Amino acid sequence: MAPTRYLRSSASRDVNPDLDVERKTPSFDVEKLTTILDGGAENTRVRRAVEAVIHSDPVLSREDKYFLSQNESYEAAVKKAVHLKKMMHQMKWTEAGLESKYCTRALGGEVAFTLHSVFMESILALSTDEQTAKWIPLAENYCILGSYAQTELGHGTYIRGFETTATFNISTQEFVLNTPKISAMKWWPGELGRSATHAVVFAQLYIKGKCYGVHPFIVQIRSLHDHSPAPGVTVGDIGPKMEFNHIDNGYLLLRDVRVPRENMLSRFCEVLADGTYVKRGSEKINYFNMIIIRVKMLSNEVVPTLMKACTIAIRYSVVRRQCELKPGDQEAKILDYQTQQQKLLPMLATAYAFHFMNQYMNELFSKGYREIKQRNFDSLPELHAFSSGLKAIYTEHCTAGVETCRKACGGHGYSLLSGLPSLYTRLAASCTYEGENTVLLLQTARFLVKCLGAAHSGQPVPPSVAYLSAANSERCLVRDKRDFLQPDVYVEAYRHVAIRVLSSAAAKLQALVQSGAEQHEAWHQCTVQLVHAAKAHCHYHVVKSFAEAVEKLGQEAGIQRMIKHLCGLFALHGIFSNTGDFLHDGYISGDQVDMMTASYLDLLAIVRKDAVPLVDAFDFTDETLNSALGSYDGQVYRRLYQWAQRSPSNTKQPNQAYENYLKPLFQNGLSKL
Amino acid sequence: MAPTRYLRSSASRDVNPDLDVERKTPSFDVEKLTTILDGGAENTRVRRAVEAVIHSDPVLSREDKYFLSQNESYEAAVKKAVHLKKMMHQMKWTEAGLESKYCTRALGGEVAFTLHSVFMESILALSTDEQTAKWIPLAENYCILGSYAQTELGHGTYIRGFETTATFNISTQEFVLNTPKISAMKWWPGELGRSATHAVVFAQLYIKGKCYGVHPFIVQIRSLHDHSPAPGVTVGDIGPKMEFNHIDNGYLLLRDVRVPRENMLSRFCEVLADGTYVKRGSEKINYFNMIIIRVKMLSNEVVPTLMKACTIAIRYSVVRRQCELKPGDQEAKILDYQTQQQKLLPMLATAYAFHFMNQYMNELFSKGYREIKQRNFDSLPELHAFSSGLKAIYTEHCTAGVETCRKACGGHGYSLLSGLPSLYTRLAASCTYEGENTVLLLQTARFLVKCLGAAHSGQPVPPSVAYLSAANSERCLVRDKRDFLQPDVYVEAYRHVAIRVLSSAAAKLQALVQSGAEQHEAWHQCTVQLVHAAKAHCHYHVVKSFAEAVEKLGQEAGIQRMIKHLCGLFALHGIFSNTGDFLHDGYISGDQVDMMTASYLDLLAIVRKDAVPLVDAFDFTDETLNSALGSYDGQVYRRLYQWAQRSPSNTKQPNQAYENYLKPLFQNGLSKL
C-alpha cells in the first residue's frame, strides 16, 4: 500500500490486463469529466495536492483500519486528528476552506473532532457576541474540546420531549442541570464518551417552577487538569456500533451540575439576573443552519460513498471472471452478464444523478442564503421541505446502492478488506442521523399537501412545486422504445406520477376529514401514502435536474452523450423498478412498459462499455478507497492475499485456542477428554 | 443477564408496563402457537430443556459477544465448541438429533466446528466403505478436525473452473497437489484458517497428462504433533469479515503436497494402481445431499434470524415512545404509527409465511428422499429448481427484512448491543453462500422455461409447475376491498402473474432465437426477465402454501384467524410492493389496487394489536436474542446503559488517547503544540 496517485503514474503500474483493456478507448475525455465533477480544474488541482500531502504522511495511513478493535480505532482517530489539525494549522488550511474538505475526502471521512466543529458552529449560531468572544478562541486553539449533546436515550426526533432539566437558581445566579431518569441521559453525542471537555447541552429551562422549553447550555464535562469527570457528571462511551467505532459516542448523566448564568447560549433568549425570561430576534436563521448541515452531508458524505462503492464493484467486475457466456469460451467477466449490469450500472447512474442534483441544490441554497441574510425568510419552508425529502431519498437509495454493490462482489464483498462492508455500515447510519427518514418525508409531505391546496385555489406556490398548478397530462404517447430515451418523455412521466400520487393521498385525507375524522387522525391514516407522495416528488426533481444538467454539458459533446445515457438509465431504472406507479391510472400501458424495458436493457449494454472510465472519473485514490478489490490496478487477488497476511488473526502468535483447547482435544480425543 | 426463561417466570419479572399491557388480552393461545411453530409440544419441551442446560452454563454465555476482537471471537468460539461437544457427548446428544439442533438455536448459531460436520458429511457421501471406516471414527472422536476446501480465490460458483491440480504419480502411488497460481488458492473454507488438521480438497485430477475434472482428496493440513503446517502447505486466516469473525475462514496454498492414492474419495470413481480411471454409480444422490443442505439452512438459520429481528424490533416499538399522535397526548408508542407498522408487520408476516413454507418443503423433501433412496431420481430437477429459487428469495427477503427491522429501531438499532446489526451482517452472507442468488434464480428459470414448453406441448410436468398447464385467468373480479382478504383471490392473482411473467420471458427468448440469435446469446439477453419470472414463481408458491397452511389450522380457531390475517398481510404486502406486476396486462385495475391498498392498511391495524404475542410465540430466550432492545421484560434503557458500562471502551483504563495526544493539546493549545 505504498502511496500512489494513479492518474499520474498509471503507465508505470502493473495493471490487470482485463481492466487495462477497459480503459483503452473511452468514448469521452475522462480527465475533463473529473474536473466537471470537481467543479472546475482548479478544484481538481487543489484536491490532488491535498491528497498528495495526506497520502504521503504515514501517521494518516488507514492501512490497518480493518484490523482495529473499538479502542484501537478510537486511539488511532484521536492521534490522526491531532496530527491533522497541526498539519492544517501549519499549512494555513482553514476549517471552512476547500483543502479541509479534501482532507476529509482523502481520509474517507474517518477523522475525529467532527463534533468539535458542530460544538463551535452551534456556539457561533446560538451565542451572543460576548459568549462567542469567550468560547470560540478556546475551541479554535483546542484548549477545550467540545461535543453537542442533544439526543437523549429515550428521545431523538422529538425535541420537545427532552427530559434533561436546567433550573435557574436566582440566589446563586446559576443553572442547575439534572438528568431526572435513565431515559433522559444524553446518549449518542460524538466525542462525548472519552474525549470532550465541554458540551453544548440541551435542556428544559425552568425558572420559578415554570418551563420555558428546550435551551442550550455550555457545560464542562471533564477537568482540564486531569480529564476526570466534572462534579456531578457521569460520562462514558455507549459501546460498539455497526461502524464509527473510531468515534467515542457517549452518554452523560447530570446530577445537580451547576453552570453560571452566562453559560446559557443567549442569542435568541436570555435569563436576566432576576429570573426574567427575555426572547429576542428570530431563530429562523438558526433553523436554516440546520438545513445547510443536511445539504452538506449529502455532497460530502452520502453521494461520495455510493461513488466509491461503484468504483470498487465495477473495477472488480471486469477482473472477476466466472462461467461461460458462450459454451467453450474463456470464463466471462462478470460485468458482461446482464444481471450484473442490472445491479451495478443503475447505481452508477444514481451516483451521477445525485451528484448533479447536489450542484442544483447548492445553487438553490446559495440563493436562499442570500435572501435570508437580508432577513427574507420566504423560501425557508420550501428549502426545508426540499432538503428533508432529498436527504431521505438520497440516504435510502445510496445505502441500498452500496449494499447492492457489495453483494454484487459475492464472497469477496463480504471481506472487510474489500472496503465495501464498512462503506455500507457507515452509510447506514445516515438514514437515521440528521433526521429520521420517515419523519423527514412526512415533513415534506405536509408542505406538499399545503402547496397542492394553494395551487388548486389559484394561490402562488414556490418554484419547486409550481408543477402542481399545471394540468396533469393524461397519457404517455410513446410508440417506440427509442422514445423512452427522450428526457421530455421520462421527465413528464415522473411529473405525472408525482402529481397523481400526491393528489390521491390528499384526496383520501380530505375525504377522511369530511367524513368526520379529526385532522390528526386523518393524517395518521394517510401516512404510508403521504410518504409515497414525498418520494415521488423528490424522484421527479432528481430526474428533472439531471436532464437539465445534461443540457448544460453542451460544450463537451462526448461527455454530454455519455451523461445523457446515464440520465436515461437513472430515469428508466426508476420506472422499471416502480412500474405500478406509472401503470396505475393508465398513464403508460403494459405495452409501453415493455418498450421502456427494452430501452432500459439497451442502455445497460451501452453504459457497460464505458463503466470503468465512468468510475475512474470519480478519481478516488487507492488510499481513499482502501479496498483490496477496487484499486486502480485491479490486482485483486494479489492484494487480498497480501492484506490477509497482515491480519492479526495471522500475525498474533501463538494460537491460544490451539494451545488451550484444541491440543488436548486432538491428543486425547473427545471420548477421553 | 442472569439466565431467565421468561415463559415460566414472567410473573416475577419487572416487565415494562407499556409492553406488559400488550400481552394482557391476546386473541389466541400463545403457548399453543409456540408448540405449532415447534412442530409439536414434545419438541417444545425438548427445546426448553436444552435451553435451560445451555443458558445455565457460564462457558457458553454470549454476553461478551459484542465486545470481542476477531482473535478473541475465534478463541471464545473454539473454547465453547470443545466444551459443547464434551457436554453433548456426556448427555448422549447426537449430532443429528433434535437436541443438537436446539443447541445451535440457543447459541444463535455461534458455534465452531460447523465445517467439521461438513467434512464428515462429505466423507460419508463421497467415500468408499473402507475410507469411511478409516476417517469417520477419527473425526467423530475429534482426533482430527476437518474443513471442506472447495471455493478458490478466483473461483466460486463455477466448479469446472477450479485451478487446483492433483496429478497422479504412478511410481509413488500418490497424488501430488498444487496451487498453480494465486487465484487457485483455496479461500474461504471455515476452520481452515487456524484450526483444521485435515481438509477435503477439491482439485482437477490429472492422470498421464489427461484431465478428468474435479475430484475430492483428503489432505492433511497441519501436524497432529504441533499443529505446524504440513510440508508444502501454506495456510492462514483470510482476515476480518462483516460477521462470522468467530470462524477462522482460511486460505490454503499447496506446493507439491503428496497424498496416498487412497486419499481420493472414491465412491463414484477411482484411480487404479496403474492409473486407470474407473467411474461407477450415480452421483445424483450426492447432488441431492447438496440440495438438502440448502433446505436445512432455510429452517435453521435464515427464517429464525428474521424471527429474532421481528421480536426485537416489535418489542422495542411498544416501549419506545415518540411524538404525539394526538395533540396534547402523551408521546405515542412508535408501533402505533402506520409507517412503523408498514415497516415491521409485513416482515412479521414474512417470517410466518416462510415458516409454513418450510414445513411444506420438509414434507416435499422427505418424499423426495424416499424416492431417491429407491433410486428414483425423477423428482430431482424439480426439487433442485424449487430449493434454488426458494433459497434465493428467502435469503433476499429475510436479509432485507432484518435490515428493515434494524432501521426501524432508529439510532439504538445501530448499536451492536441491540443485537440487530450482527443479525444483519451475519444473514447477509447467506445471499452468497450455498449458491449465489442470481445464479440460483437462473437455474430455477431454466427449469421453468423447459416445463412451460412441455406444458404447452401437452407433456406431463412436475406438480410444482402443473399450474403452467392450466389456462391463465384474464381479470381479477374483485369489487370490494374486503374481497382482497380472500385467499382464493390473492393466490389466483399471484398465479396469474407467475404465468404471465414467465410466458413473457419465454416468448422473448423464442423470438430472439427465431430471429437468428444463438441460444446462449438469447438466454443472456433475457436474464433480467428470467430472474423476475423465477421470483414470481417462488412468490406464488409461498403465498399458496401459506394459504393452505391456514386451512390446516382449523382445530385452533383463534390461531387460525390470526394466522389468516398474517397470510393476507403477506400476500397483500407483496402486491402493494409490486403493483406493476399485477397491473401490467390489466389483470387488476388501478381502482382495484386502491381497494387492495385499503385492505392492506386495515390489516396493519389488525395485526398491530397482537404483534407482541405473535413474536412472543417464537419463544426466543433473552440469551438467544442477546439484545438490549429485545428482552422479554422490555427494560430497554436500563439494559442499554448497563451493557454499555461493560464495554472495553469504558473498562479499559487509562485512556491512552488522552494521555498521549489530548493532554498535550489541551495544555498547550494547537498554536503552541
Side-chain angles (χ1 to χ4, degrees):
Chain A
M1 287 178 86
T4 39
R5 271 301 321 167
Y6 67 79
L7 279 177
R8 269 128 277 153
S9 60
S10 61
S12 66
R13 289 179 70 177
D14 175 21
V15 177
N16 176 296
D18 279 339
L19 181 50
D20 205 26
V21 75
E22 300 280 336
R23 295 182 172 124
K24 285 279 188 267
T25 51
S27 77
F28 60 91
D29 181 338
V30 179
E31 176 70 10
K32 181 73 206 176
L33 179 55
T34 296
T35 62
I36 291 173
L37 292 169
D38 278 330
E42 174 59 14
N43 287 0
T44 303
R45 193 195 60 75
V46 174
R47 175 171 60 72
R48 289 180 177 162
V50 169
E51 287 165 352
V53 173
I54 298 285
H55 295 330
S56 62
D57 189 324
V59 177
L60 299 177
S61 163
R62 292 156 68 228
E63 64 176 10
D64 284 335
K65 167 180 164 68
Y66 306 119
F67 305 133
L68 304 182
S69 70
Q70 186 184 5
N71 275 336
E72 289 164 346
S73 290
Y74 162 70
E75 282 167 22
V78 170
K79 179 181 179 180
K80 280 182 203 176
V82 173
H83 185 78
L84 181 67
K85 293 300 168 194
K86 220 159 65 179
M87 176 197 279
M88 287 176 62
H89 186 74
Q90 282 159 1
M91 307 280 278
K92 299 198 170 33
W93 292 346
T94 61
E95 293 288 339
L98 205 52
E99 288 89 354
S100 169
K101 186 180 123 182
Y102 290 138
C103 286
T104 308
R105 173 179 153 128
L107 294 167
E110 285 154 29
V111 278
F113 302 168
T114 323
L115 263 285
H116 183 68
S117 306
V118 178
F119 171 77
M120 288 208 283
E121 280 163 24
S122 67
I123 292 174
L124 288 169
L126 301 171
S127 73
T128 60
D129 293 347
E130 300 76 45
Q131 289 174 322
T132 300
K134 171 173 179 187
W135 293 105
I136 291 297
L138 289 169
E140 271 182 340
N141 199 26
Y142 287 86
C143 299
I144 62 173
L145 191 75
S147 181
Y148 181 84
Q150 183 172 306
T151 305
E152 296 180 354
L153 186 48
H155 302 86
T157 302
Y158 189 65
I159 293 173
R160 272 188 289 163
F162 285 167
E163 297 178 295
T164 305
T165 58
T167 308
F168 186 56
N169 182 331
I170 298 185
S171 63
T172 61
Q173 291 288 301
E174 288 170 331
F175 296 102
V176 184
L177 281 91
N178 270 294
T179 304
K181 52 204 259 209
I182 275 195
S183 59
M185 290 177 80
K186 295 297 175 186
W187 195 272
W188 276 113
E191 281 146 31
L192 178 65
R194 310 184 70 186
S195 298
T197 62
H198 288 70
V200 170
V201 174
F202 287 79
Q204 301 282 3
L205 169 65
Y206 282 86
I207 309 172
K208 298 175 192 166
K210 185 180 164 192
C211 181
Y212 288 83
V214 173
H215 288 71
F217 301 84
I218 295 193
V219 179
Q220 182 160 354
I221 305 299
R222 292 184 175 88
S223 155
L224 288 174
H225 171 63
D226 64 3
H227 213 55
S228 60
V233 167
T234 302
V235 64
D237 188 285
I238 64 165
K241 297 143 291 183
M242 211 168 172
E243 191 64 43
F244 285 101
N245 283 316
H246 62 292
I247 301 288
D248 53 320
N249 297 87
Y251 61 75
L252 176 67
L253 204 150
L254 304 167
R255 285 206 190 86
D256 292 329
V257 173
R258 293 152 50 183
V259 301
R261 187 164 63 90
E262 295 74 34
N263 278 27
M264 183 173 107
L265 295 180
S266 302
R267 180 158 177 187
F268 301 110
C269 39
E270 193 179 358
V271 177
L272 303 183
D274 64 353
T276 310
Y277 179 82
V278 185
K279 221 173 155 41
R280 60 174 167 236
S282 161
E283 289 191 51
K284 280 184 179 168
I285 183 100
N286 179 35
Y287 196 54
F288 184 75
N289 286 333
M290 212 181 68
I291 302 175
I292 286 281
I293 291 178
R294 230 172 247 159
V295 176
K296 276 193 196 161
M297 154 195 163
L298 299 181
S299 336
N300 296 340
E301 167 87 16
V302 179
V303 179
T305 305
L306 180 57
M307 289 174 168
K308 281 188 243 181
C310 287
T311 305
I312 297 169
I314 286 174
R315 287 182 182 163
Y316 174 67
S317 295
V318 299
V319 170
R320 179 73 172 185
R321 288 175 170 274
Q322 191 168 269
C323 303
E324 301 162 346
L325 255 175
K326 188 175 173 182
D329 265 13
Q330 184 187 9
E331 287 188 73
K333 293 177 175 181
I334 57 175
L335 195 59
D336 285 328
Y337 291 92
Q338 190 186 50
T339 46
Q340 186 78 352
Q341 291 165 13
Q342 139 82 355
K343 289 172 192 174
L344 297 181
L345 303 181
M347 297 308 109
L348 178 63
T350 302
Y352 274 94
F354 287 172
H355 172 82
F356 285 111
M357 184 76 202
N358 276 344
Q359 288 193 338
Y360 171 77
M361 291 268 283
N362 288 335
E363 287 162 26
L364 196 73
F365 276 76
S366 300
K367 185 167 157 284
Y369 187 64
R370 286 192 300 274
E371 289 171 9
I372 280 163
K373 274 197 126 172
Q374 290 159 6
R375 312 204 73 70
N376 168 2
F377 298 108
D378 294 350
S379 63
L380 204 53
E382 183 187 25
L383 294 178
H384 175 250
F386 211 18
S387 65
S388 299
L390 286 177
K391 185 273 181 184
I393 72 156
Y394 270 47
T395 54
E396 181 180 322
H397 285 260
C398 291
T399 303
V402 169
E403 186 64 349
T404 298
C405 291
R406 192 193 65 70
K407 281 191 191 163
C409 294
H412 294 323
Y414 194 73
S415 165
L416 292 198
L417 307 181
S418 72
L420 291 165
S422 56
L423 290 180
Y424 177 72
T425 48
R426 182 182 167 105
L427 195 56
S430 69
C431 297
T432 308
Y433 68 64
E434 297 301 333
E436 197 278 329
N437 282 353
T438 303
V439 173
L440 290 180
L441 286 166
L442 285 171
Q443 289 176 3
T444 304
R446 204 174 279 279
F447 171 78
L448 291 176
V449 168
K450 212 166 146 188
C451 292
L452 184 70
H456 282 179
S457 57
Q459 292 162 33
V461 293
S464 68
V465 286
Y467 72 97
L468 297 174
S469 304
N472 208 359
S473 47
E474 294 214 337
R475 278 194 182 285
C476 171
L477 300 173
V478 160
R479 296 193 177 179
D480 182 276
K481 70 172 183 175
R482 277 162 301 187
D483 296 340
F484 272 108
L485 302 175
Q486 291 175 21
D488 289 356
V489 168
Y490 52 69
V491 170
E492 183 57 21
Y494 276 92
R495 193 182 80 96
H496 175 88
V497 167
I499 297 178
R500 183 186 62 74
V501 176
L502 176 62
S503 303
S504 149
K508 179 177 167 188
L509 193 61
Q510 201 173 15
L512 284 166
V513 171
Q514 280 171 355
S515 70
E518 284 191 73
Q519 184 67 39
H520 67 87
E521 177 55 28
W523 179 263
H524 168 62
Q525 287 186 35
C526 295
T527 46
V528 164
Q529 286 141 304
L530 287 163
V531 164
H532 187 186
K535 286 182 182 177
H537 166 77
C538 295
H539 211 151
Y540 158 62
H541 270 291
V542 177
V543 170
K544 182 163 158 282
S545 289
F546 199 0
E548 286 165 3
V550 169
E551 284 304 308
K552 289 183 196 152
L553 293 169
Q555 300 288 319
E556 303 289 337
I559 290 176
Q560 187 181 42
R561 202 179 312 114
M562 195 62 233
I563 302 296
K564 191 180 171 188
H565 290 317
L566 288 172
C567 183
L569 183 57
F570 175 77
L572 299 196
H573 175 72
I575 301 178
F576 179 80
S577 312
N578 304 284
T579 52
D581 281 353
F582 298 81
L583 285 162
H584 187 280
D585 61 349
Y587 180 75
I588 64 172
S589 67
D591 286 344
Q592 286 172 324
V593 166
D594 293 341
M595 292 175 207
M596 181 279 300
T597 303
S599 258
Y600 168 62
L601 296 174
D602 289 348
L603 279 175
L604 289 180
I606 292 169
V607 173
R608 154 69 188 97
K609 289 187 203 129
D610 276 318
V612 169
L614 282 168
V615 298
D616 283 351
F618 297 144
D619 201 29
F620 289 109
T621 60
D622 287 357
E623 292 78 3
T624 296
L625 290 177
N626 205 12
S627 163
L629 302 190
S631 288
Y632 185 81
D633 65 11
Q635 295 298 359
V636 168
Y637 301 131
R638 192 194 296 171
R639 202 169 269 108
L640 268 174
Y641 183 35
Q642 286 168 348
W643 290 15
Q645 288 172 282
R646 293 209 329 264
S647 168
S649 50
N650 291 314
T651 56
K652 207 184 163 200
Q653 296 297 343
N655 178 346
Q656 293 298 344
Y658 169 71
E659 298 295 337
N660 298 337
Y661 313 110
L662 294 176
K663 194 174 180 179
L665 180 65
F666 298 157
Q667 288 179 349
N668 301 304
L670 188 64
S671 53
K672 290 185 194 148
L673 203 64
Chain B
M1 286 178 81
T4 40
R5 271 301 321 167
Y6 65 78
L7 278 177
R8 269 127 277 154
S9 61
S10 60
S12 66
R13 288 179 70 179
D14 175 20
V15 176
N16 175 297
D18 279 340
L19 181 49
D20 205 26
V21 75
E22 301 279 336
R23 295 182 173 124
K24 285 279 188 269
T25 51
S27 76
F28 60 91
D29 180 338
V30 180
E31 176 69 11
K32 181 74 204 174
L33 180 54
T34 296
T35 64
I36 291 173
L37 292 170
D38 277 331
E42 174 58 14
N43 288 0
T44 303
R45 193 194 60 75
V46 174
R47 175 171 60 72
R48 289 180 178 163
V50 168
E51 287 166 352
V53 172
I54 298 284
H55 295 329
S56 61
D57 189 323
V59 178
L60 298 177
S61 162
R62 292 156 68 231
E63 65 174 9
D64 282 336
K65 169 181 163 66
Y66 306 118
F67 304 133
L68 304 182
S69 70
Q70 186 184 5
N71 276 335
E72 290 163 346
S73 291
Y74 162 71
E75 283 166 23
V78 170
K79 179 181 180 181
K80 281 180 202 175
V82 172
H83 185 79
L84 181 66
K85 295 299 167 193
K86 223 160 61 180
M87 174 196 278
M88 286 176 62
H89 187 74
Q90 284 158 0
M91 309 277 280
K92 298 199 170 29
W93 292 347
T94 62
E95 292 288 337
L98 204 54
E99 287 89 351
S100 169
K101 185 181 123 181
Y102 289 138
C103 285
T104 309
R105 174 180 150 126
L107 294 166
E110 284 154 29
V111 279
F113 301 169
T114 323
L115 263 284
H116 183 67
S117 306
V118 178
F119 171 76
M120 288 209 283
E121 281 163 24
S122 68
I123 291 175
L124 289 169
L126 301 170
S127 74
T128 61
D129 293 347
E130 300 76 46
Q131 290 174 322
T132 301
K134 173 174 178 185
W135 294 104
I136 291 298
L138 289 170
E140 271 182 340
N141 200 26
Y142 287 86
C143 299
I144 62 173
L145 190 77
S147 180
Y148 181 84
Q150 182 171 306
T151 305
E152 297 180 353
L153 186 48
H155 303 86
T157 302
Y158 188 65
I159 292 175
R160 273 188 288 162
F162 285 168
E163 297 179 296
T164 304
T165 59
T167 307
F168 185 57
N169 183 331
I170 298 185
S171 62
T172 61
Q173 291 287 302
E174 288 171 331
F175 295 102
V176 184
L177 281 92
N178 270 294
T179 305
K181 50 204 262 208
I182 275 194
S183 61
M185 291 177 78
K186 295 296 174 186
W187 195 273
W188 275 112
E191 281 146 31
L192 179 65
R194 311 185 71 185
S195 297
T197 62
H198 289 69
V200 171
V201 174
F202 287 79
Q204 300 283 2
L205 169 64
Y206 281 86
I207 310 172
K208 298 176 191 164
K210 187 181 163 192
C211 180
Y212 288 82
V214 173
H215 288 71
F217 303 84
I218 295 193
V219 179
Q220 182 161 353
I221 305 299
R222 292 184 174 87
S223 158
L224 289 173
H225 171 64
D226 64 3
H227 213 56
S228 60
V233 167
T234 303
V235 64
D237 188 285
I238 64 166
K241 297 142 292 183
M242 212 166 172
E243 191 64 44
F244 286 101
N245 283 317
H246 64 292
I247 301 289
D248 53 321
N249 297 86
Y251 59 76
L252 176 67
L253 202 150
L254 304 167
R255 285 207 191 84
D256 292 329
V257 173
R258 294 151 49 182
V259 302
R261 187 165 62 92
E262 295 74 33
N263 278 28
M264 184 172 106
L265 295 179
S266 301
R267 179 158 180 188
F268 301 110
C269 39
E270 192 179 359
V271 177
L272 304 182
D274 65 352
T276 309
Y277 179 83
V278 184
K279 224 173 153 45
R280 61 175 165 236
S282 161
E283 290 190 51
K284 280 184 178 168
I285 184 100
N286 180 35
Y287 196 54
F288 184 74
N289 286 333
M290 213 179 69
I291 302 175
I292 286 282
I293 292 178
R294 230 171 248 159
V295 176
K296 277 193 197 160
M297 154 195 162
L298 300 181
S299 339
N300 296 341
E301 168 85 17
V302 179
V303 179
T305 306
L306 180 58
M307 289 174 167
K308 282 187 244 180
C310 288
T311 305
I312 297 168
I314 286 173
R315 287 181 182 163
Y316 175 66
S317 295
V318 299
V319 169
R320 179 73 173 185
R321 288 176 169 272
Q322 191 168 269
C323 302
E324 301 161 346
L325 255 176
K326 187 177 174 180
D329 264 13
Q330 185 187 10
E331 286 189 74
K333 293 178 175 181
I334 58 175
L335 195 59
D336 286 327
Y337 291 94
Q338 191 185 50
T339 46
Q340 185 79 351
Q341 292 165 13
Q342 137 82 354
K343 290 173 190 173
L344 297 180
L345 303 182
M347 297 308 109
L348 178 63
T350 301
Y352 274 93
F354 287 171
H355 172 82
F356 285 110
M357 183 77 202
N358 276 344
Q359 289 194 337
Y360 172 77
M361 292 266 284
N362 288 335
E363 288 163 26
L364 196 72
F365 274 76
S366 301
K367 185 167 158 283
Y369 187 63
R370 286 192 300 274
E371 289 171 10
I372 280 164
K373 274 196 128 175
Q374 291 160 3
R375 311 203 74 72
N376 169 1
F377 297 109
D378 293 352
S379 63
L380 203 54
E382 184 187 26
L383 294 178
H384 175 249
F386 212 16
S387 65
S388 300
L390 286 177
K391 185 272 181 185
I393 72 157
Y394 271 46
T395 53
E396 181 180 322
H397 285 261
C398 290
T399 303
V402 169
E403 187 64 349
T404 299
C405 291
R406 191 193 64 70
K407 281 191 191 163
C409 295
H412 294 322
Y414 194 74
S415 165
L416 293 197
L417 307 181
S418 73
L420 292 164
S422 56
L423 290 180
Y424 177 73
T425 49
R426 182 181 167 104
L427 195 56
S430 70
C431 297
T432 307
Y433 68 63
E434 297 301 333
E436 196 277 330
N437 282 353
T438 304
V439 173
L440 291 181
L441 287 166
L442 286 171
Q443 289 176 2
T444 305
R446 203 174 278 280
F447 171 78
L448 292 176
V449 168
K450 213 167 145 187
C451 293
L452 185 70
H456 282 179
S457 58
Q459 293 163 34
V461 292
S464 69
V465 284
Y467 74 95
L468 297 174
S469 304
N472 207 358
S473 48
E474 293 213 340
R475 277 195 183 284
C476 170
L477 299 174
V478 160
R479 295 193 179 180
D480 183 276
K481 70 172 184 175
R482 278 162 302 187
D483 295 339
F484 271 108
L485 301 176
Q486 292 176 20
D488 290 355
V489 168
Y490 51 71
V491 170
E492 183 56 22
Y494 275 93
R495 193 181 79 96
H496 176 88
V497 167
I499 297 178
R500 182 186 64 73
V501 176
L502 176 62
S503 304
S504 148
K508 180 177 167 187
L509 193 59
Q510 201 174 18
L512 284 165
V513 171
Q514 280 171 353
S515 70
E518 286 191 71
Q519 184 66 41
H520 66 86
E521 177 55 28
W523 180 264
H524 167 62
Q525 287 185 36
C526 296
T527 46
V528 164
Q529 285 142 306
L530 287 162
V531 164
H532 187 187
K535 287 182 182 176
H537 166 77
C538 296
H539 211 150
Y540 158 62
H541 270 290
V542 178
V543 170
K544 184 163 155 282
S545 291
F546 199 0
E548 286 165 3
V550 169
E551 284 304 309
K552 290 182 196 151
L553 293 170
Q555 301 288 317
E556 303 290 337
I559 290 177
Q560 188 182 43
R561 201 178 312 112
M562 195 62 233
I563 302 296
K564 191 178 171 191
H565 289 319
L566 288 172
C567 183
L569 184 57
F570 176 75
L572 299 196
H573 175 72
I575 302 178
F576 180 79
S577 311
N578 304 283
T579 53
D581 281 353
F582 298 81
L583 284 162
H584 187 279
D585 61 350
Y587 180 76
I588 63 172
S589 67
D591 286 345
Q592 287 172 323
V593 167
D594 293 341
M595 292 174 206
M596 181 279 301
T597 302
S599 259
Y600 168 62
L601 297 175
D602 288 348
L603 279 175
L604 289 180
I606 292 169
V607 173
R608 154 70 188 95
K609 288 186 203 129
D610 276 319
V612 169
L614 282 168
V615 299
D616 283 352
F618 297 144
D619 200 28
F620 289 108
T621 60
D622 286 357
E623 292 79 1
T624 296
L625 290 176
N626 205 14
S627 163
L629 302 189
S631 287
Y632 185 80
D633 66 11
Q635 294 298 359
V636 168
Y637 300 131
R638 191 194 296 171
R639 202 169 269 108
L640 268 175
Y641 183 37
Q642 283 168 349
W643 290 15
Q645 286 171 284
R646 292 209 330 264
S647 169
S649 50
N650 290 315
T651 56
K652 208 184 161 198
Q653 298 294 344
N655 178 346
Q656 292 297 345
Y658 170 72
E659 297 295 337
N660 297 336
Y661 312 111
L662 293 176
K663 194 174 179 179
L665 181 64
F666 298 157
Q667 288 181 349
N668 300 303
L670 187 64
S671 53
K672 288 184 194 149
L673 205 63

